Amino acid sequence: MVVQDFTANTKDLIDNLKSICTSYGLGNDGNEFKIITQVFLYKFMNDKFGYEVKQIDPSLQTADKWEVKINEYSDDDYEMLLLQLSPDSAKLKREHFLASLFEKQNNEEFAKTFDDTLRDIAIFNNEIFSVKTGTGAKITLFDELSQFVADPSQRDNFCKAIVNQLVNFSFERIFEQKFDFFSTIFEYLIKDYNKDGGGKYAEYYTPHAVAKIMAACLVDAPVQNVTCYDPSAGSGTLLMNLAHAIGEDRCTIYSQDISQKSTAMLRLNLILNNLVHSIPNIIQGNTILAPYHKEGDRLMKFDYIVSNPPFKLDFSEYHADLLASNNSERFFAGVANIPNKDKDKMAIYPLFIQHIMYSLTSKGRAAIVVPTGFITAQSGIERKIRERLVEQKMLRGVVSMPSNIFATTGTNVSILFLDCANTKGDIVLMDASKLGTTVKEGKNQKTLLSTEEEQRIIDTFNRHEAVEDFSVVLSYEQIAEKNYSFSAGQYFDVKIEYTDITPEEFKTKMDDFKANLSNLFAESKSLEVQIEKALEGLRFE
């Protein structure tokens, strides 16, 4: 009950922050998501700091206000306290505390004090909490949030309203909660800011069911000290589910995404889910043109890769660079041609599949969301990729999902599973398209899988089960014989139902068939005569 109440209270906090933004002309503004997510993060860090220092110094637990008690520390004692903090907690100076801001809210130029505080926190924690661009530039934690209020005379009041909202709330009771709790909070926090209205590089939020199935099918046994990578990470839904399946303390996250907004959200997701140690590996940049993660001169190889890449995107501006000889090994199947028109419909997802294949370790595994058309395409780059997956024995299986599993796109999708150690075959192809319940989400239809249906997919896949009209288990040779089709339906047996009858029953049925045919033939001849007479009666006038 405590968790349910706290979840409701947290959502109320988020809604109240949005209400403040609306009151100051920032509702649905392009910068609203920065204000909401960064203010939320500042509050989370402040309370996480308080929680951590209370574990280090129990006397702070009994103090009426831990911020007042901690101000009695000498500078040396405070420095020692900071050194004892866990590496996933932000280090705060005493003037950074929310309580300190609250006391200063009636001072002149409070907006500047507010912005300076957040900026100083970002600088103080720059080495751990900043993310990098592909060129190595660092993107710090916080922006100057008051600048987004157009009227300078309202900025102090705006910052006061934010601070007064934050002091009435505390995260301290829930820091022992795990992934499932924070994933729900994170989804609610960003639900209005991760949609398909973002222009050229639109972000799509991967449904929880898809992310859960991908992670559970990839991680079917305990592992440790592994690397996890997403070359089109978005806000990190797939990576968070994968890390949770492995264990947040048993894996290191790597990612790259071209969207600055999504990269900032991914950083927040890592902080909420105890994966701060991986923030230095989060890169904002173009994976296809300039992949960042390398070991020496070669691209880094990863143990686990997940991806829900964009399916179509105009990449004509760097198309020529992708055709360079140094990319021939990575893009072995080729690069899509530039069409004369509709460049936005250039298929970019095959480049991500090829990049992922190239980036797996010798025992690496991957799960990739692809348009279902990929699994049966009879020519072109898609066909070449499928042939390579079979010839190099990398294919682990395919799950074809129900229509509208993504509310934001009508494209049917499948999940492609790769396993470089799957050399013996035993490939599972599954048609889960008939599962789920259709519901209305805004103007769109969306298919929701029940918990039982999700588990059915996971169990059938991991047990290598063949289930009538649902899944088949095949060898690489069988797939090659079927023209490299990855569609389960093409391997289902055609069923002919037989019914036992006696000779007398058979004779009766045959006599009925003959009588019916005789009647039909007689009727046909009658119609022929009528038609001929009608034709003879036709005259030209």
Side-chain angles (χ1 to χ4, degrees), residues 217 375 397-401 414 428-433 435 456-462 465 470-472 486-489 492:
C217 291
I375 67 177
V398 175
V399 177
S400 295
M401 301 298 289
S414 295
V428 180
L429 302 183
M430 187 183 302
D431 181 3
S433 61
L435 300 182
R456 182 188 178 194
I457 293 171
I458 294 165
D459 290 343
T460 302
F461 193 91
N462 286 341
E465 288 182 346
F470 186 64
S471 63
V472 290
F486 292 177
S487 174
F492 291 156

PDB file of all heavy atoms in Angstrom, residues 217 375 397-401 414 428-433 435 456-462 465 470-472 486-489 492:
ATOM      1  N   CYS A 217      13.923 -13.491 -23.256  1.00  0.00           N
ATOM      2  CA  CYS A 217      14.385 -14.499 -24.219  1.00  0.00           C
ATOM      3  C   CYS A 217      15.895 -14.420 -24.424  1.00  0.00           C
ATOM      4  O   CYS A 217      16.533 -15.432 -24.746  1.00  0.00           O
ATOM      5  CB  CYS A 217      13.663 -14.335 -25.545  1.00  0.00           C
ATOM      6  SG  CYS A 217      11.905 -14.754 -25.487  1.00  0.00           S
ATOM      7  N   ILE A 375      11.171 -10.443 -42.762  1.00  0.00           N
ATOM      8  CA  ILE A 375      11.397 -11.881 -42.560  1.00  0.00           C
ATOM      9  C   ILE A 375      11.051 -12.720 -43.792  1.00  0.00           C
ATOM     10  O   ILE A 375      11.391 -13.903 -43.840  1.00  0.00           O
ATOM     11  CB  ILE A 375      10.635 -12.406 -41.326  1.00  0.00           C
ATOM     12  CG1 ILE A 375       9.130 -12.358 -41.519  1.00  0.00           C
ATOM     13  CG2 ILE A 375      11.048 -11.626 -40.084  1.00  0.00           C
ATOM     14  CD1 ILE A 375       8.342 -12.938 -40.349  1.00  0.00           C
ATOM     15  N   GLY A 397      16.067 -17.126 -33.540  1.00  0.00           N
ATOM     16  CA  GLY A 397      14.628 -17.259 -33.685  1.00  0.00           C
ATOM     17  C   GLY A 397      13.968 -15.951 -34.065  1.00  0.00           C
ATOM     18  O   GLY A 397      14.618 -14.898 -34.137  1.00  0.00           O
ATOM     19  N   VAL A 398      12.673 -16.026 -34.329  1.00  0.00           N
ATOM     20  CA  VAL A 398      11.874 -14.850 -34.685  1.00  0.00           C
ATOM     21  C   VAL A 398      10.506 -14.991 -34.026  1.00  0.00           C
ATOM     22  O   VAL A 398       9.911 -16.069 -34.046  1.00  0.00           O
ATOM     23  CB  VAL A 398      11.702 -14.719 -36.216  1.00  0.00           C
ATOM     24  CG1 VAL A 398      10.764 -13.563 -36.548  1.00  0.00           C
ATOM     25  CG2 VAL A 398      13.051 -14.529 -36.902  1.00  0.00           C
ATOM     26  N   VAL A 399      10.026 -13.895 -33.446  1.00  0.00           N
ATOM     27  CA  VAL A 399       8.666 -13.851 -32.897  1.00  0.00           C
ATOM     28  C   VAL A 399       7.909 -12.757 -33.632  1.00  0.00           C
ATOM     29  O   VAL A 399       8.276 -11.583 -33.547  1.00  0.00           O
ATOM     30  CB  VAL A 399       8.670 -13.566 -31.383  1.00  0.00           C
ATOM     31  CG1 VAL A 399       7.236 -13.454 -30.871  1.00  0.00           C
ATOM     32  CG2 VAL A 399       9.430 -14.634 -30.618  1.00  0.00           C
ATOM     33  N   SER A 400       6.873 -13.140 -34.380  1.00  0.00           N
ATOM     34  CA  SER A 400       6.030 -12.167 -35.072  1.00  0.00           C
ATOM     35  C   SER A 400       4.947 -11.695 -34.114  1.00  0.00           C
ATOM     36  O   SER A 400       4.156 -12.499 -33.613  1.00  0.00           O
ATOM     37  CB  SER A 400       5.416 -12.795 -36.320  1.00  0.00           C
ATOM     38  OG  SER A 400       6.425 -13.115 -37.255  1.00  0.00           O
ATOM     39  N   MET A 401       4.915 -10.387 -33.859  1.00  0.00           N
ATOM     40  CA  MET A 401       4.036  -9.816 -32.850  1.00  0.00           C
ATOM     41  C   MET A 401       2.666  -9.452 -33.432  1.00  0.00           C
ATOM     42  O   MET A 401       2.500  -9.359 -34.654  1.00  0.00           O
ATOM     43  CB  MET A 401       4.698  -8.574 -32.250  1.00  0.00           C
ATOM     44  CG  MET A 401       6.048  -8.837 -31.589  1.00  0.00           C
ATOM     45  SD  MET A 401       5.944  -9.974 -30.192  1.00  0.00           S
ATOM     46  CE  MET A 401       5.102  -8.958 -28.989  1.00  0.00           C
ATOM     47  N   SER A 414       8.188  -7.721 -35.981  1.00  0.00           N
ATOM     48  CA  SER A 414       8.661  -8.997 -35.448  1.00  0.00           C
ATOM     49  C   SER A 414       9.924  -8.724 -34.645  1.00  0.00           C
ATOM     50  O   SER A 414      10.572  -7.686 -34.815  1.00  0.00           O
ATOM     51  CB  SER A 414       8.966  -9.978 -36.588  1.00  0.00           C
ATOM     52  OG  SER A 414       7.790 -10.322 -37.293  1.00  0.00           O
ATOM     53  N   VAL A 428      13.771 -21.232 -33.275  1.00  0.00           N
ATOM     54  CA  VAL A 428      12.346 -21.138 -32.957  1.00  0.00           C
ATOM     55  C   VAL A 428      11.737 -19.994 -33.766  1.00  0.00           C
ATOM     56  O   VAL A 428      12.151 -18.845 -33.638  1.00  0.00           O
ATOM     57  CB  VAL A 428      12.114 -20.889 -31.454  1.00  0.00           C
ATOM     58  CG1 VAL A 428      10.621 -20.796 -31.162  1.00  0.00           C
ATOM     59  CG2 VAL A 428      12.755 -21.984 -30.623  1.00  0.00           C
ATOM     60  N   LEU A 429      10.748 -20.323 -34.600  1.00  0.00           N
ATOM     61  CA  LEU A 429       9.964 -19.313 -35.303  1.00  0.00           C
ATOM     62  C   LEU A 429       8.563 -19.336 -34.719  1.00  0.00           C
ATOM     63  O   LEU A 429       7.947 -20.405 -34.621  1.00  0.00           O
ATOM     64  CB  LEU A 429       9.920 -19.598 -36.805  1.00  0.00           C
ATOM     65  CG  LEU A 429      11.264 -19.686 -37.533  1.00  0.00           C
ATOM     66  CD1 LEU A 429      11.039 -19.889 -39.035  1.00  0.00           C
ATOM     67  CD2 LEU A 429      12.111 -18.439 -37.294  1.00  0.00           C
ATOM     68  N   MET A 430       8.067 -18.174 -34.336  1.00  0.00           N
ATOM     69  CA  MET A 430       6.793 -18.111 -33.607  1.00  0.00           C
ATOM     70  C   MET A 430       5.870 -17.080 -34.238  1.00  0.00           C
ATOM     71  O   MET A 430       6.291 -15.982 -34.598  1.00  0.00           O
ATOM     72  CB  MET A 430       7.058 -17.737 -32.142  1.00  0.00           C
ATOM     73  CG  MET A 430       5.842 -17.803 -31.246  1.00  0.00           C
ATOM     74  SD  MET A 430       6.243 -17.258 -29.550  1.00  0.00           S
ATOM     75  CE  MET A 430       7.553 -18.406 -29.119  1.00  0.00           C
ATOM     76  N   ASP A 431       4.608 -17.451 -34.382  1.00  0.00           N
ATOM     77  CA  ASP A 431       3.581 -16.521 -34.858  1.00  0.00           C
ATOM     78  C   ASP A 431       2.658 -16.184 -33.691  1.00  0.00           C
ATOM     79  O   ASP A 431       1.732 -16.929 -33.371  1.00  0.00           O
ATOM     80  CB  ASP A 431       2.790 -17.167 -35.998  1.00  0.00           C
ATOM     81  CG  ASP A 431       1.723 -16.231 -36.556  1.00  0.00           C
ATOM     82  OD1 ASP A 431       1.650 -15.077 -36.081  1.00  0.00           O
ATOM     83  OD2 ASP A 431       0.970 -16.653 -37.446  1.00  0.00           O
ATOM     84  N   ALA A 432       2.950 -15.040 -33.040  1.00  0.00           N
ATOM     85  CA  ALA A 432       2.137 -14.591 -31.904  1.00  0.00           C
ATOM     86  C   ALA A 432       1.140 -13.528 -32.335  1.00  0.00           C
ATOM     87  O   ALA A 432       0.594 -12.803 -31.498  1.00  0.00           O
ATOM     88  CB  ALA A 432       3.042 -14.052 -30.795  1.00  0.00           C
ATOM     89  N   SER A 433       0.879 -13.439 -33.640  1.00  0.00           N
ATOM     90  CA  SER A 433       0.067 -12.337 -34.171  1.00  0.00           C
ATOM     91  C   SER A 433      -1.393 -12.407 -33.738  1.00  0.00           C
ATOM     92  O   SER A 433      -2.106 -11.409 -33.804  1.00  0.00           O
ATOM     93  CB  SER A 433       0.146 -12.324 -35.700  1.00  0.00           C
ATOM     94  OG  SER A 433      -0.358 -13.535 -36.243  1.00  0.00           O
ATOM     95  N   LEU A 435      -2.440 -13.188 -30.717  1.00  0.00           N
ATOM     96  CA  LEU A 435      -2.580 -12.920 -29.287  1.00  0.00           C
ATOM     97  C   LEU A 435      -2.952 -11.465 -29.048  1.00  0.00           C
ATOM     98  O   LEU A 435      -2.856 -10.618 -29.934  1.00  0.00           O
ATOM     99  CB  LEU A 435      -1.276 -13.246 -28.559  1.00  0.00           C
ATOM    100  CG  LEU A 435      -0.745 -14.676 -28.642  1.00  0.00           C
ATOM    101  CD1 LEU A 435       0.518 -14.807 -27.808  1.00  0.00           C
ATOM    102  CD2 LEU A 435      -1.795 -15.688 -28.209  1.00  0.00           C
ATOM    103  N   ARG A 456       3.658 -16.886 -22.034  1.00  0.00           N
ATOM    104  CA  ARG A 456       3.536 -17.987 -22.997  1.00  0.00           C
ATOM    105  C   ARG A 456       4.591 -17.849 -24.103  1.00  0.00           C
ATOM    106  O   ARG A 456       5.238 -18.830 -24.494  1.00  0.00           O
ATOM    107  CB  ARG A 456       2.135 -18.010 -23.612  1.00  0.00           C
ATOM    108  CG  ARG A 456       1.930 -19.162 -24.592  1.00  0.00           C
ATOM    109  CD  ARG A 456       0.605 -19.056 -25.324  1.00  0.00           C
ATOM    110  NE  ARG A 456       0.460 -20.145 -26.281  1.00  0.00           N
ATOM    111  CZ  ARG A 456      -0.445 -20.179 -27.251  1.00  0.00           C
ATOM    112  NH1 ARG A 456      -1.312 -19.183 -27.387  1.00  0.00           N
ATOM    113  NH2 ARG A 456      -0.493 -21.202 -28.080  1.00  0.00           N
ATOM    114  N   ILE A 457       4.754 -16.634 -24.616  1.00  0.00           N
ATOM    115  CA  ILE A 457       5.762 -16.390 -25.653  1.00  0.00           C
ATOM    116  C   ILE A 457       7.158 -16.706 -25.116  1.00  0.00           C
ATOM    117  O   ILE A 457       7.951 -17.403 -25.751  1.00  0.00           O
ATOM    118  CB  ILE A 457       5.682 -14.927 -26.141  1.00  0.00           C
ATOM    119  CG1 ILE A 457       4.367 -14.684 -26.879  1.00  0.00           C
ATOM    120  CG2 ILE A 457       6.871 -14.594 -27.038  1.00  0.00           C
ATOM    121  CD1 ILE A 457       4.106 -13.228 -27.208  1.00  0.00           C
ATOM    122  N   ILE A 458       7.455 -16.182 -23.921  1.00  0.00           N
ATOM    123  CA  ILE A 458       8.793 -16.365 -23.331  1.00  0.00           C
ATOM    124  C   ILE A 458       9.077 -17.840 -23.073  1.00  0.00           C
ATOM    125  O   ILE A 458      10.152 -18.354 -23.438  1.00  0.00           O
ATOM    126  CB  ILE A 458       8.906 -15.544 -22.028  1.00  0.00           C
ATOM    127  CG1 ILE A 458       8.843 -14.047 -22.329  1.00  0.00           C
ATOM    128  CG2 ILE A 458      10.192 -15.889 -21.273  1.00  0.00           C
ATOM    129  CD1 ILE A 458       8.590 -13.179 -21.109  1.00  0.00           C
ATOM    130  N   ASP A 459       8.138 -18.535 -22.458  1.00  0.00           N
ATOM    131  CA  ASP A 459       8.359 -19.945 -22.105  1.00  0.00           C
ATOM    132  C   ASP A 459       8.500 -20.814 -23.353  1.00  0.00           C
ATOM    133  O   ASP A 459       9.365 -21.695 -23.415  1.00  0.00           O
ATOM    134  CB  ASP A 459       7.211 -20.460 -21.238  1.00  0.00           C
ATOM    135  CG  ASP A 459       7.204 -19.853 -19.843  1.00  0.00           C
ATOM    136  OD1 ASP A 459       8.255 -19.300 -19.447  1.00  0.00           O
ATOM    137  OD2 ASP A 459       6.169 -19.922 -19.162  1.00  0.00           O
ATOM    138  N   THR A 460       7.637 -20.595 -24.340  1.00  0.00           N
ATOM    139  CA  THR A 460       7.696 -21.390 -25.570  1.00  0.00           C
ATOM    140  C   THR A 460       9.029 -21.184 -26.276  1.00  0.00           C
ATOM    141  O   THR A 460       9.648 -22.141 -26.765  1.00  0.00           O
ATOM    142  CB  THR A 460       6.537 -21.015 -26.513  1.00  0.00           C
ATOM    143  OG1 THR A 460       5.294 -21.211 -25.836  1.00  0.00           O
ATOM    144  CG2 THR A 460       6.565 -21.855 -27.777  1.00  0.00           C
ATOM    145  N   PHE A 461       9.481 -19.941 -26.315  1.00  0.00           N
ATOM    146  CA  PHE A 461      10.749 -19.631 -26.973  1.00  0.00           C
ATOM    147  C   PHE A 461      11.924 -20.257 -26.227  1.00  0.00           C
ATOM    148  O   PHE A 461      12.777 -20.915 -26.822  1.00  0.00           O
ATOM    149  CB  PHE A 461      10.920 -18.117 -27.063  1.00  0.00           C
ATOM    150  CG  PHE A 461      12.033 -17.680 -27.978  1.00  0.00           C
ATOM    151  CD1 PHE A 461      11.787 -17.418 -29.317  1.00  0.00           C
ATOM    152  CD2 PHE A 461      13.326 -17.531 -27.505  1.00  0.00           C
ATOM    153  CE1 PHE A 461      12.812 -17.023 -30.171  1.00  0.00           C
ATOM    154  CE2 PHE A 461      14.357 -17.136 -28.337  1.00  0.00           C
ATOM    155  CZ  PHE A 461      14.102 -16.880 -29.684  1.00  0.00           C
ATOM    156  N   ASN A 462      11.979 -20.068 -24.928  1.00  0.00           N
ATOM    157  CA  ASN A 462      13.130 -20.536 -24.147  1.00  0.00           C
ATOM    158  C   ASN A 462      13.159 -22.057 -23.985  1.00  0.00           C
ATOM    159  O   ASN A 462      14.221 -22.642 -23.766  1.00  0.00           O
ATOM    160  CB  ASN A 462      13.151 -19.862 -22.771  1.00  0.00           C
ATOM    161  CG  ASN A 462      13.585 -18.404 -22.856  1.00  0.00           C
ATOM    162  OD1 ASN A 462      14.195 -17.979 -23.838  1.00  0.00           O
ATOM    163  ND2 ASN A 462      13.264 -17.630 -21.841  1.00  0.00           N
ATOM    164  N   GLU A 465      10.008 -25.036 -27.843  1.00  0.00           N
ATOM    165  CA  GLU A 465       8.832 -25.871 -28.033  1.00  0.00           C
ATOM    166  C   GLU A 465       8.176 -25.610 -29.386  1.00  0.00           C
ATOM    167  O   GLU A 465       8.064 -24.454 -29.826  1.00  0.00           O
ATOM    168  CB  GLU A 465       7.799 -25.603 -26.931  1.00  0.00           C
ATOM    169  CG  GLU A 465       8.190 -26.152 -25.576  1.00  0.00           C
ATOM    170  CD  GLU A 465       7.124 -25.900 -24.526  1.00  0.00           C
ATOM    171  OE1 GLU A 465       6.223 -25.078 -24.778  1.00  0.00           O
ATOM    172  OE2 GLU A 465       7.204 -26.526 -23.462  1.00  0.00           O
ATOM    173  N   PHE A 470       1.424 -22.200 -33.685  1.00  0.00           N
ATOM    174  CA  PHE A 470       1.997 -21.136 -32.861  1.00  0.00           C
ATOM    175  C   PHE A 470       3.516 -21.038 -33.044  1.00  0.00           C
ATOM    176  O   PHE A 470       4.051 -19.944 -33.216  1.00  0.00           O
ATOM    177  CB  PHE A 470       1.649 -21.379 -31.389  1.00  0.00           C
ATOM    178  CG  PHE A 470       2.073 -20.260 -30.465  1.00  0.00           C
ATOM    179  CD1 PHE A 470       1.518 -19.001 -30.588  1.00  0.00           C
ATOM    180  CD2 PHE A 470       3.019 -20.483 -29.468  1.00  0.00           C
ATOM    181  CE1 PHE A 470       1.900 -17.964 -29.743  1.00  0.00           C
ATOM    182  CE2 PHE A 470       3.405 -19.466 -28.609  1.00  0.00           C
ATOM    183  CZ  PHE A 470       2.841 -18.199 -28.753  1.00  0.00           C
ATOM    184  N   SER A 471       4.203 -22.176 -33.011  1.00  0.00           N
ATOM    185  CA  SER A 471       5.659 -22.136 -33.129  1.00  0.00           C
ATOM    186  C   SER A 471       6.188 -23.400 -33.788  1.00  0.00           C
ATOM    187  O   SER A 471       5.562 -24.465 -33.718  1.00  0.00           O
ATOM    188  CB  SER A 471       6.303 -21.967 -31.746  1.00  0.00           C
ATOM    189  OG  SER A 471       6.011 -23.089 -30.928  1.00  0.00           O
ATOM    190  N   VAL A 472       7.348 -23.265 -34.435  1.00  0.00           N
ATOM    191  CA  VAL A 472       8.053 -24.405 -35.022  1.00  0.00           C
ATOM    192  C   VAL A 472       9.510 -24.339 -34.601  1.00  0.00           C
ATOM    193  O   VAL A 472      10.046 -23.258 -34.323  1.00  0.00           O
ATOM    194  CB  VAL A 472       7.964 -24.414 -36.567  1.00  0.00           C
ATOM    195  CG1 VAL A 472       6.553 -24.730 -37.026  1.00  0.00           C
ATOM    196  CG2 VAL A 472       8.437 -23.082 -37.150  1.00  0.00           C
ATOM    197  N   PHE A 486      11.805 -16.578 -42.723  1.00  0.00           N
ATOM    198  CA  PHE A 486      11.786 -16.602 -41.255  1.00  0.00           C
ATOM    199  C   PHE A 486      10.355 -16.531 -40.720  1.00  0.00           C
ATOM    200  O   PHE A 486      10.145 -16.239 -39.547  1.00  0.00           O
ATOM    201  CB  PHE A 486      12.573 -15.415 -40.683  1.00  0.00           C
ATOM    202  CG  PHE A 486      14.063 -15.483 -40.917  1.00  0.00           C
ATOM    203  CD1 PHE A 486      14.883 -14.438 -40.498  1.00  0.00           C
ATOM    204  CD2 PHE A 486      14.666 -16.557 -41.540  1.00  0.00           C
ATOM    205  CE1 PHE A 486      16.259 -14.477 -40.690  1.00  0.00           C
ATOM    206  CE2 PHE A 486      16.027 -16.611 -41.764  1.00  0.00           C
ATOM    207  CZ  PHE A 486      16.832 -15.567 -41.333  1.00  0.00           C
ATOM    208  N   SER A 487       9.367 -16.771 -41.579  1.00  0.00           N
ATOM    209  CA  SER A 487       7.969 -16.698 -41.173  1.00  0.00           C
ATOM    210  C   SER A 487       7.494 -18.059 -40.683  1.00  0.00           C
ATOM    211  O   SER A 487       7.526 -19.050 -41.425  1.00  0.00           O
ATOM    212  CB  SER A 487       7.102 -16.249 -42.351  1.00  0.00           C
ATOM    213  OG  SER A 487       5.735 -16.313 -42.014  1.00  0.00           O
ATOM    214  N   ALA A 488       7.030 -18.115 -39.439  1.00  0.00           N
ATOM    215  CA  ALA A 488       6.596 -19.392 -38.863  1.00  0.00           C
ATOM    216  C   ALA A 488       5.481 -20.030 -39.679  1.00  0.00           C
ATOM    217  O   ALA A 488       5.448 -21.257 -39.859  1.00  0.00           O
ATOM    218  CB  ALA A 488       6.146 -19.173 -37.420  1.00  0.00           C
ATOM    219  N   GLY A 489       4.558 -19.209 -40.177  1.00  0.00           N
ATOM    220  CA  GLY A 489       3.410 -19.738 -40.894  1.00  0.00           C
ATOM    221  C   GLY A 489       3.765 -20.584 -42.094  1.00  0.00           C
ATOM    222  O   GLY A 489       3.008 -21.491 -42.469  1.00  0.00           O
ATOM    223  N   PHE A 492       4.157 -24.253 -40.926  1.00  0.00           N
ATOM    224  CA  PHE A 492       3.081 -24.985 -40.268  1.00  0.00           C
ATOM    225  C   PHE A 492       2.560 -26.080 -41.198  1.00  0.00           C
ATOM    226  O   PHE A 492       2.461 -25.890 -42.417  1.00  0.00           O
ATOM    227  CB  PHE A 492       1.918 -24.060 -39.898  1.00  0.00           C
ATOM    228  CG  PHE A 492       2.241 -23.090 -38.792  1.00  0.00           C
ATOM    229  CD1 PHE A 492       1.529 -21.902 -38.665  1.00  0.00           C
ATOM    230  CD2 PHE A 492       3.250 -23.357 -37.874  1.00  0.00           C
ATOM    231  CE1 PHE A 492       1.814 -21.002 -37.654  1.00  0.00           C
ATOM    232  CE2 PHE A 492       3.537 -22.461 -36.851  1.00  0.00           C
ATOM    233  CZ  PHE A 492       2.822 -21.283 -36.736  1.00  0.00           C
TER     234      PHE A 492
END
